[in-house]
Amino acid sequence: MDPRAARITADMSVEERAGQCILVGVVPSDSPEYIANLIDTKCLAGIFILGHWTKKSKLVAMLDAVNSVSPHGIKPIVATDHEGGEIQNVRIPGVDRLPSQEALARMSPAKAQSVVTEGARQLADLGVHMIFSPVADVIDPDLGVRNKPIAKHHRGFGTDPQTCGRYAASVIAAHRKAGIISTAKHFPGIGRIVEDTDFKSAGITDDKTTRHDPYLESFRTAFNAGAEAVMIASAYYSKIDPGTLGLFSSKIMTDMLRDDFGYQGLIVSDDLGSSVSVFSVDGGHRASKFVSAGGDLAITANPGLVRPMIRALTSMAASSSGEKRLSDAARHVINVKLAHSLTK
């Protein structure tokens, strides 16, 4: 942890610390002025580029507006999904279409790294700082394409933890060359569930993965390769923390990630705004449940949830333990920003 992160966080109000724990999704139809004002007035961590952006003028207008604000001297993070294949949100001229991770795994790790490096550099040149990849999930061979979130859409590197870890490490190395923040996902893995958590609340229970499961080794390799962030899955894990979604589980984020793995990087949620899996929880409290369980950066695809999320996080900080957890989460966000020159 950069010692400056603690000093910067200490100078922020509780509301500003709460804002630094929220990343808001933006789509091409969103107003750049509205999003920039939201970041500026609420001291948000930054934006997540959602949907398919095909017009460069729209993307440039959004990034120019977002980069024109720096609340408390802190610049916003610009993040996006850029796995390749079907999962690539920036599709403007000058940004190559990446092969899917399934296709990358048919290349040598060195070739895959070279391909991903070029794409990451193209995004970095536009002003993107963070990519939500690699997908380190190991696909259950007994499910195959019946695993809808990963295998069906060619998003995985395979069914072997060592292979998945090796290619995840190649992607992380490629991102590092481009100056991009990598995000290994979706811990502790969604390769053993049937349905997609974005669209279903049933069929999203992993009844195989254990706390010390061999399938987790792909994530360990990704962490050892220098992944600066990890995204938590919004699935259930009946052999780890029954009845609790992964992104609300302290057993997964604190006991496993921080203690078992010794992971000290940024813990990011999967979408808390529009994912069907979290709809049973009040919108604002999705962020406070995530942070209180050990998470750092709550992602919402719905900008309308920013204010209730900040209120819930601020309320959480009314207790000494909650205030400490919120400050710790904000420090993790600021620490990553310091490493990428996104703070004063």
Side-chain angles (χ1 to χ4, degrees):
M1 183 74 69
D2 189 317
R4 292 176 295 169
R7 294 197 295 270
I8 293 170
T9 305
D11 287 340
M12 301 170 76
S13 69
V14 173
E15 290 79 8
E16 288 169 336
R17 292 174 202 170
Q20 280 300 295
C21 293
I22 298 173
L23 197 74
V24 63
V26 298
V27 295
S29 59
D30 282 330
S31 160
E33 293 75 20
Y34 170 76
I35 296 297
N37 183 65
L38 193 61
I39 293 169
D40 196 30
T41 57
K42 299 301 179 184
C43 199
L44 299 188
I47 64 167
F48 166 31
I49 299 168
L50 277 168
H52 291 163
W53 294 70
T54 56
K55 294 183 178 179
K56 186 172 183 178
S57 59
K58 278 187 171 288
L59 182 60
V60 169
M62 178 62 74
L63 296 185
D64 283 350
V66 167
N67 288 323
S68 70
V69 297
S70 53
H72 221 280
I74 304 167
K75 297 178 183 178
I77 289 175
V78 175
T80 190
D81 267 325
H82 202 72
E83 300 168 16
E86 297 176 35
I87 314 300
Q88 179 168 332
N89 295 337
V90 178
R91 302 187 177 196
I92 64 173
V95 176
D96 297 338
R97 291 296 301 273
L98 284 180
S100 68
Q101 287 201 177
E102 184 180 285
L104 287 173
R106 291 193 288 267
M107 306 175 187
S108 69
K111 176 62 176 176
Q113 179 179 325
S114 175
V115 170
V116 175
T117 299
E118 179 60 25
R121 283 176 173 159
Q122 291 169 347
L123 289 185
D125 288 344
L126 284 170
V128 173
H129 313 112
M130 185 178 197
I131 295 177
F132 295 144
S133 84
V135 171
D137 307 280
V138 180
I139 298 166
D140 186 341
D142 292 335
L143 285 179
V145 294
R146 288 189 295 125
N147 168 245
K148 292 180 182 177
I150 305 299
K152 181 181 178 181
H153 299 285
H154 316 287
R155 299 173 67 195
F157 291 124
T159 59
D160 172 66
Q162 284 70 41
T163 299
C164 293
R166 185 163 59 250
Y167 280 91
S170 293
V171 170
I172 291 163
H175 290 168
R176 186 184 304 110
K177 285 185 175 180
I180 290 285
I181 303 163
S182 291
T183 311
K185 62 184 188 184
H186 310 75
F187 189 85
I190 53 174
R192 285 170 158 168
I193 63 175
V194 176
E195 298 292 348
D196 191 324
T197 59
D198 284 343
F199 308 111
K200 301 283 185 178
S201 58
I204 60 170
T205 296
D206 176 337
D207 59 6
K208 291 184 177 181
T209 301
T210 60
R211 180 165 171 173
H212 302 286
D213 202 285
Y215 269 38
L216 299 174
E217 289 306 304
S218 59
F219 287 97
R220 189 183 304 277
T221 302
F223 301 152
N224 290 340
E228 293 180 82
V230 56
M231 180 178 286
I232 308 301
S234 56
Y236 293 100
Y237 299 87
S238 60
K239 291 189 176 178
I240 298 173
D241 194 357
T244 303
L245 287 172
L247 41 61
F248 298 144
S249 171
S250 61
K251 289 183 180 178
I252 286 173
M253 291 187 282
T254 302
D255 298 348
M256 290 176 66
L257 266 177
R258 296 298 190 205
D259 296 342
D260 294 351
F261 283 83
Y263 178 75
Q264 296 302 311
L266 186 67
I267 298 179
V268 181
S269 76
D270 206 339
D271 176 40
L272 293 169
S274 301
S275 176
V276 171
S277 64
V278 298
F279 278 3
S280 63
V281 179
D282 170 77
H285 287 94
R286 295 169 199 168
S288 57
K289 281 172 68 72
F290 168 70
V291 173
S292 64
D296 301 317
L297 184 60
I299 296 174
T300 174
N302 179 2
L305 288 181
V306 165
R307 288 176 175 84
M309 282 183 168
I310 288 177
R311 286 196 296 270
L313 287 167
T314 302
S315 296
M316 182 189 95
S319 70
S320 58
S321 60
E323 193 280 332
K324 183 178 184 300
R325 177 78 273 280
L326 181 64
S327 294
D328 183 61
R331 275 196 300 271
H332 276 101
V333 176
I334 298 299
N335 191 58
V336 169
K337 290 190 173 190
L338 283 165
H340 291 267
S341 302
L342 293 173
T343 60
K344 58 185 176 182

XYZ file of all heavy atoms in Angstrom, residues 1 21 187 228-233 241 244-259 262-270 272 285-299 313 316 321-333:
496
model
N 0.847 -1.195 0.000
C 0.000 0.000 0.000
C 0.882 1.244 0.000
O 1.735 1.412 0.869
C -0.925 -0.016 1.220
C -1.899 1.134 1.282
S -3.278 1.016 0.101
C -4.198 -0.379 0.773
N -15.717 4.425 -3.823
C -15.981 2.982 -3.833
C -17.045 2.593 -4.851
O -17.552 1.466 -4.823
C -16.399 2.522 -2.431
S -15.077 2.647 -1.204
N -13.958 -14.532 -9.385
C -13.591 -15.332 -8.212
C -14.816 -15.647 -7.363
O -15.641 -14.755 -7.124
C -12.576 -14.546 -7.365
C -11.960 -15.349 -6.254
C -10.850 -16.151 -6.497
C -12.484 -15.311 -4.971
C -10.284 -16.895 -5.476
C -11.925 -16.054 -3.947
C -10.822 -16.851 -4.199
N -3.857 -6.643 -10.661
C -4.057 -5.563 -9.695
C -5.469 -5.529 -9.134
O -5.720 -4.853 -8.136
C -3.737 -4.213 -10.347
C -2.275 -4.036 -10.697
C -2.012 -2.692 -11.340
O -1.876 -1.699 -10.603
O -1.967 -2.637 -12.587
N -6.387 -6.244 -9.797
C -7.768 -6.283 -9.332
C -8.340 -7.669 -9.559
O -7.869 -8.427 -10.420
C -8.612 -5.240 -10.065
N -9.354 -7.997 -8.771
C -10.083 -9.252 -8.941
C -11.568 -8.947 -8.831
O -11.985 -8.162 -7.984
C -9.661 -10.313 -7.899
C -9.832 -9.813 -6.481
C -10.423 -11.621 -8.098
N -12.360 -9.530 -9.722
C -13.808 -9.336 -9.704
C -14.461 -10.538 -9.029
O -14.119 -11.684 -9.322
C -14.355 -9.172 -11.119
C -15.872 -8.961 -11.179
S -16.492 -8.723 -12.869
C -15.934 -7.056 -13.213
N -15.423 -10.248 -8.141
C -16.117 -11.292 -7.395
C -17.409 -11.679 -8.095
O -18.166 -10.827 -8.571
C -16.431 -10.823 -5.960
C -15.164 -10.294 -5.286
C -17.036 -11.968 -5.142
C -14.038 -11.290 -5.177
N -17.678 -12.971 -8.144
C -18.861 -13.488 -8.821
C -20.123 -13.260 -8.020
O -20.113 -13.254 -6.785
C -18.687 -14.984 -9.072
N -20.032 -20.819 1.432
C -20.868 -19.925 2.239
C -22.306 -20.063 1.756
O -22.797 -19.224 0.993
C -20.384 -18.479 2.097
C -20.963 -17.553 3.145
O -21.787 -18.015 3.958
O -20.596 -16.359 3.153
N -25.366 -17.329 0.523
C -24.840 -15.962 0.384
C -24.171 -15.806 -0.978
O -23.296 -16.601 -1.335
C -23.804 -15.652 1.483
O -24.416 -15.852 2.761
C -23.315 -14.221 1.381
N -24.587 -14.795 -1.730
C -23.923 -14.537 -3.008
C -22.444 -14.243 -2.780
O -22.073 -13.604 -1.783
C -24.578 -13.350 -3.720
C -25.954 -13.594 -4.343
C -26.541 -12.273 -4.833
C -25.883 -14.590 -5.490
N -21.614 -14.658 -3.710
C -20.173 -14.469 -3.555
C -19.785 -13.039 -3.251
O -18.924 -12.788 -2.393
N -20.422 -12.081 -3.926
C -20.032 -10.690 -3.721
C -20.606 -10.057 -2.461
O -20.389 -8.888 -2.196
C -20.350 -9.827 -4.955
C -21.641 -9.996 -5.723
C -22.852 -9.728 -4.901
C -21.607 -9.191 -6.993
N -21.308 -10.875 -1.658
C -21.740 -10.426 -0.327
C -21.115 -11.294 0.772
O -21.528 -11.214 1.927
C -23.265 -10.477 -0.201
C -24.004 -9.582 -1.157
C -25.216 -9.977 -1.710
C -23.499 -8.335 -1.514
C -25.914 -9.151 -2.592
C -24.180 -7.501 -2.392
C -25.388 -7.910 -2.936
N -20.133 -12.108 0.412
C -19.585 -13.098 1.331
C -18.226 -12.699 1.894
O -17.247 -12.596 1.156
C -19.455 -14.450 0.619
O -18.736 -15.367 1.410
N -18.151 -12.521 3.202
C -16.865 -12.236 3.839
C -15.979 -13.484 3.834
O -14.750 -13.373 3.848
C -17.072 -11.748 5.276
O -17.707 -12.724 6.064
N -16.585 -14.666 3.790
C -15.776 -15.890 3.723
C -14.982 -15.936 2.415
O -13.843 -16.401 2.398
C -16.674 -17.125 3.849
C -17.243 -17.330 5.241
C -18.057 -18.613 5.319
C -18.614 -18.812 6.726
N -19.451 -20.044 6.818
N -15.598 -15.447 1.346
C -14.921 -15.457 0.040
C -13.935 -14.302 -0.087
O -12.785 -14.498 -0.487
C -15.967 -15.437 -1.087
C -16.627 -16.818 -1.187
C -15.328 -15.048 -2.429
C -17.799 -16.888 -2.137
N -14.359 -13.091 0.265
C -13.495 -11.924 0.038
C -12.456 -11.723 1.136
O -11.309 -11.355 0.845
C -14.355 -10.669 -0.123
C -15.145 -10.671 -1.410
S -16.023 -9.113 -1.719
C -17.433 -9.285 -0.625
N -12.831 -11.970 2.371
C -11.897 -11.745 3.472
C -11.138 -13.009 3.831
O -9.899 -13.041 3.805
C -12.648 -11.203 4.709
O -13.318 -9.988 4.343
C -11.673 -10.909 5.841
N -11.868 -14.095 4.137
C -11.204 -15.320 4.574
C -10.389 -15.974 3.462
O -9.245 -16.383 3.675
C -12.236 -16.323 5.109
C -12.984 -15.809 6.324
O -12.559 -14.779 6.890
O -14.004 -16.415 6.698
N -10.958 -16.056 2.280
C -10.253 -16.729 1.186
C -9.255 -15.805 0.487
O -8.066 -16.097 0.428
C -11.259 -17.294 0.176
C -12.060 -18.474 0.696
S -13.318 -19.059 -0.481
C -12.291 -19.674 -1.836
N -9.760 -14.680 -0.049
C -8.883 -13.808 -0.837
C -7.784 -13.175 0.005
O -6.586 -13.293 -0.320
C -9.693 -12.715 -1.522
C -10.167 -12.978 -2.945
C -11.014 -11.824 -3.440
C -9.002 -13.228 -3.876
N -8.167 -12.494 1.066
C -7.177 -11.764 1.871
C -6.322 -12.716 2.712
O -5.099 -12.542 2.781
C -7.872 -10.754 2.781
C -8.621 -9.646 2.054
C -7.716 -8.777 1.217
N -8.413 -7.579 0.724
C -8.068 -6.911 -0.353
N -7.047 -7.320 -1.101
N -8.714 -5.820 -0.719
N -6.967 -13.728 3.338
C -6.224 -14.586 4.262
C -5.576 -15.782 3.564
O -4.359 -15.960 3.622
C -7.148 -15.062 5.394
C -7.644 -13.909 6.256
O -7.025 -12.820 6.208
O -8.652 -14.083 6.965
N -3.606 -14.373 0.506
C -2.726 -13.243 0.811
C -2.839 -12.140 -0.212
O -1.917 -11.338 -0.391
N -3.985 -12.056 -0.888
C -4.173 -11.069 -1.948
C -4.363 -9.683 -1.357
O -5.200 -9.481 -0.476
C -5.389 -11.459 -2.806
C -5.697 -10.482 -3.901
C -4.906 -10.430 -5.043
C -6.764 -9.604 -3.793
C -5.179 -9.523 -6.059
C -7.052 -8.698 -4.794
C -6.249 -8.655 -5.925
O -6.518 -7.755 -6.917
N -3.589 -8.712 -1.842
C -3.641 -7.360 -1.296
C -4.142 -6.320 -2.294
O -4.144 -5.126 -2.013
C -2.245 -6.949 -0.800
C -1.724 -7.787 0.343
C -2.641 -7.751 1.549
O -3.060 -6.679 1.980
N -2.963 -8.907 2.096
N -4.571 -6.774 -3.471
C -5.012 -5.841 -4.503
C -6.446 -5.381 -4.325
O -7.053 -5.514 -3.257
N -6.995 -4.828 -5.401
C -8.333 -4.245 -5.409
C -9.380 -5.334 -5.620
O -9.263 -6.148 -6.542
C -8.411 -3.213 -6.534
C -9.670 -2.357 -6.654
C -9.794 -1.412 -5.463
C -9.620 -1.553 -7.963
N -10.408 -5.350 -4.768
C -11.513 -6.299 -4.912
C -12.709 -5.563 -5.494
O -13.221 -4.607 -4.903
C -11.878 -6.945 -3.563
C -10.689 -7.749 -3.010
C -13.090 -7.858 -3.727
C -10.956 -8.405 -1.661
N -13.143 -6.011 -6.670
C -14.189 -5.347 -7.456
C -15.418 -6.255 -7.519
O -15.290 -7.480 -7.620
C -13.671 -5.074 -8.887
C -14.717 -4.368 -9.729
C -12.381 -4.270 -8.847
N -16.592 -5.669 -7.477
C -17.810 -6.477 -7.608
C -18.127 -6.733 -9.070
O -17.712 -5.989 -9.950
C -18.999 -5.752 -6.971
O -19.466 -4.699 -7.806
N -18.874 -7.805 -9.319
C -19.571 -7.914 -10.589
C -20.721 -6.898 -10.512
O -20.935 -6.265 -9.472
C -20.080 -9.342 -10.802
C -20.242 -9.688 -12.277
O -20.346 -8.759 -13.098
O -20.281 -10.886 -12.612
N -23.674 -4.695 -9.767
C -24.674 -4.616 -8.699
C -25.896 -3.803 -9.116
O -26.819 -3.619 -8.327
C -24.049 -3.962 -7.451
C -22.955 -4.759 -6.741
C -22.248 -3.891 -5.702
C -23.531 -6.001 -6.085
N -28.255 -0.794 -0.744
C -27.578 -1.685 0.192
C -26.736 -2.763 -0.483
O -25.967 -3.450 0.187
C -28.598 -2.306 1.146
C -29.121 -1.333 2.155
N -30.285 -0.617 1.962
C -28.607 -0.912 3.335
C -30.475 0.173 2.991
N -29.478 0.035 3.835
N -26.877 -2.901 -1.803
C -25.991 -3.839 -2.502
C -24.542 -3.403 -2.350
O -23.647 -4.228 -2.166
C -26.366 -3.918 -3.981
C -27.739 -4.489 -4.244
C -28.171 -4.306 -5.691
N -29.613 -4.439 -5.821
C -30.302 -4.097 -6.917
N -29.678 -3.601 -7.970
N -31.607 -4.248 -6.938
N -24.297 -2.102 -2.425
C -22.927 -1.594 -2.290
C -22.424 -1.755 -0.866
O -21.275 -2.172 -0.641
C -22.864 -0.127 -2.710
N -23.262 -1.432 0.123
C -22.806 -1.521 1.516
C -22.599 -2.973 1.938
O -21.678 -3.284 2.700
C -23.781 -0.810 2.454
O -25.082 -1.330 2.339
N -23.428 -3.891 1.446
C -23.232 -5.315 1.750
C -21.923 -5.815 1.151
O -21.192 -6.591 1.768
C -24.411 -6.145 1.211
C -25.659 -6.101 2.082
C -26.831 -6.781 1.402
C -26.639 -8.290 1.280
N -26.755 -8.976 2.581
N -21.631 -5.364 -0.071
C -20.381 -5.759 -0.733
C -19.170 -5.230 0.024
O -18.232 -5.972 0.336
C -20.393 -5.250 -2.176
C -19.071 -5.343 -2.888
C -18.541 -6.570 -3.245
C -18.359 -4.186 -3.215
C -17.314 -6.660 -3.901
C -17.145 -4.256 -3.867
C -16.616 -5.502 -4.215
N -19.164 -3.949 0.337
C -18.017 -3.344 1.009
C -17.863 -3.878 2.428
O -16.752 -4.196 2.862
C -18.117 -1.805 0.996
C -17.017 -1.174 1.847
C -18.026 -1.280 -0.440
N -18.953 -4.014 3.150
C -18.843 -4.499 4.527
C -18.311 -5.931 4.596
O -17.660 -6.303 5.573
C -20.201 -4.416 5.243
O -21.150 -5.268 4.637
N -18.532 -6.714 3.541
C -18.043 -8.094 3.503
C -16.582 -8.186 3.073
O -16.002 -9.270 3.110
C -18.907 -8.936 2.575
N -15.999 -7.052 2.668
C -14.587 -7.064 2.289
C -14.277 -6.516 0.918
O -13.108 -6.435 0.532
N -15.298 -6.127 0.152
C -15.064 -5.578 -1.180
C -14.609 -4.135 -1.144
O -14.730 -3.452 -0.120
N -14.064 -3.660 -2.260
C -13.536 -2.297 -2.349
C -14.287 -1.417 -3.339
O -14.649 -0.287 -3.014
C -12.055 -2.330 -2.761
C -11.185 -3.103 -1.808
O -11.361 -2.943 -0.589
O -10.327 -3.884 -2.280
N -14.507 -1.908 -4.546
C -15.068 -1.082 -5.615
C -16.354 -1.709 -6.131
O -16.331 -2.761 -6.776
C -14.047 -0.934 -6.751
C -14.432 -0.021 -7.920
C -14.688 1.406 -7.450
C -13.329 -0.039 -8.986
N -17.487 -1.068 -5.829
C -18.797 -1.561 -6.235
C -19.142 -1.019 -7.614
O -19.088 0.189 -7.847
C -19.860 -1.135 -5.219
N -19.519 -1.907 -8.512
C -19.872 -1.513 -9.878
C -21.385 -1.520 -10.041
O -22.051 -2.479 -9.662
C -19.246 -2.480 -10.895
C -17.722 -2.399 -10.842
C -19.744 -2.175 -12.303
C -17.040 -3.421 -11.719
N -23.579 3.442 2.016
C -22.180 3.341 2.442
C -21.882 4.327 3.566
O -21.150 4.012 4.513
C -21.252 3.588 1.251
C -21.178 2.466 0.211
C -20.486 2.959 -1.051
C -20.450 1.244 0.771
N -23.319 2.993 6.696
C -22.479 1.899 7.185
C -21.329 2.440 8.023
O -20.906 1.833 9.016
C -21.933 1.120 5.985
C -21.079 -0.083 6.312
S -20.275 -0.747 4.828
C -18.701 0.085 4.915
N -16.464 0.070 13.126
C -16.011 -1.008 12.238
C -16.374 -0.713 10.798
O -15.584 -0.971 9.866
C -16.609 -2.345 12.677
O -18.026 -2.303 12.629
N -17.572 -0.143 10.597
C -17.979 0.205 9.242
C -17.153 1.331 8.666
O -16.793 1.311 7.480
N -16.823 2.321 9.494
C -15.988 3.438 9.038
C -14.610 2.933 8.655
O -14.034 3.344 7.634
C -15.897 4.489 10.141
C -15.330 5.827 9.688
C -13.810 5.840 9.587
O -13.169 5.077 10.332
O -13.275 6.604 8.746
N -14.070 2.012 9.437
C -12.748 1.453 9.142
C -12.770 0.674 7.826
O -11.856 0.789 7.007
C -12.301 0.548 10.279
C -10.903 -0.048 10.115
C -10.510 -0.886 11.308
C -9.070 -1.394 11.174
N -8.879 -2.229 9.967
N -13.829 -0.108 7.624
C -13.930 -0.900 6.399
C -14.081 -0.004 5.176
O -13.458 -0.234 4.136
C -15.135 -1.853 6.526
C -15.413 -2.707 5.283
C -14.469 -3.890 5.145
N -13.249 -3.549 4.450
C -13.083 -3.440 3.128
N -14.086 -3.644 2.316
N -11.909 -3.137 2.613
N -14.893 1.060 5.286
C -15.071 1.989 4.168
C -13.757 2.699 3.852
O -13.385 2.836 2.677
C -16.156 3.005 4.487
C -16.452 4.038 3.381
C -16.988 3.353 2.136
C -17.439 5.098 3.881
N -13.044 3.138 4.862
C -11.760 3.813 4.646
C -10.750 2.878 4.009
O -9.984 3.271 3.121
C -11.215 4.347 5.976
O -12.053 5.363 6.490
N -10.764 1.622 4.445
C -9.847 0.632 3.880
C -10.161 0.392 2.405
O -9.257 0.300 1.566
C -9.942 -0.669 4.676
C -8.955 -1.722 4.200
O -7.737 -1.457 4.260
O -9.390 -2.808 3.765
N -11.448 0.312 2.088
C -11.852 0.109 0.694
C -11.424 1.293 -0.166
O -10.871 1.116 -1.265
C -13.366 -0.087 0.619
N -11.680 2.516 0.312
C -11.282 3.712 -0.443
C -9.769 3.758 -0.632
O -9.283 4.160 -1.697
C -11.773 4.969 0.277
N -9.016 3.329 0.375
C -7.548 3.301 0.249
C -7.105 2.355 -0.856
O -6.142 2.651 -1.589
C -6.897 2.888 1.581
C -6.687 4.026 2.555
C -5.702 3.642 3.657
N -6.174 2.497 4.424
C -6.947 2.590 5.493
N -7.360 3.773 5.914
N -7.320 1.504 6.150
N -7.780 1.216 -0.978
C -7.414 0.278 -2.042
C -7.645 0.897 -3.424
O -6.848 0.703 -4.347
C -8.199 -1.027 -1.905
C -7.600 -1.996 -0.945
N -8.072 -2.163 0.330
C -6.543 -2.842 -1.069
C -7.349 -3.083 0.947
N -6.406 -3.501 0.135
N -8.758 1.643 -3.553
C -9.033 2.317 -4.835
C -7.973 3.382 -5.106
O -7.410 3.449 -6.215
C -10.441 2.939 -4.828
C -10.691 3.717 -6.118
C -11.515 1.864 -4.646
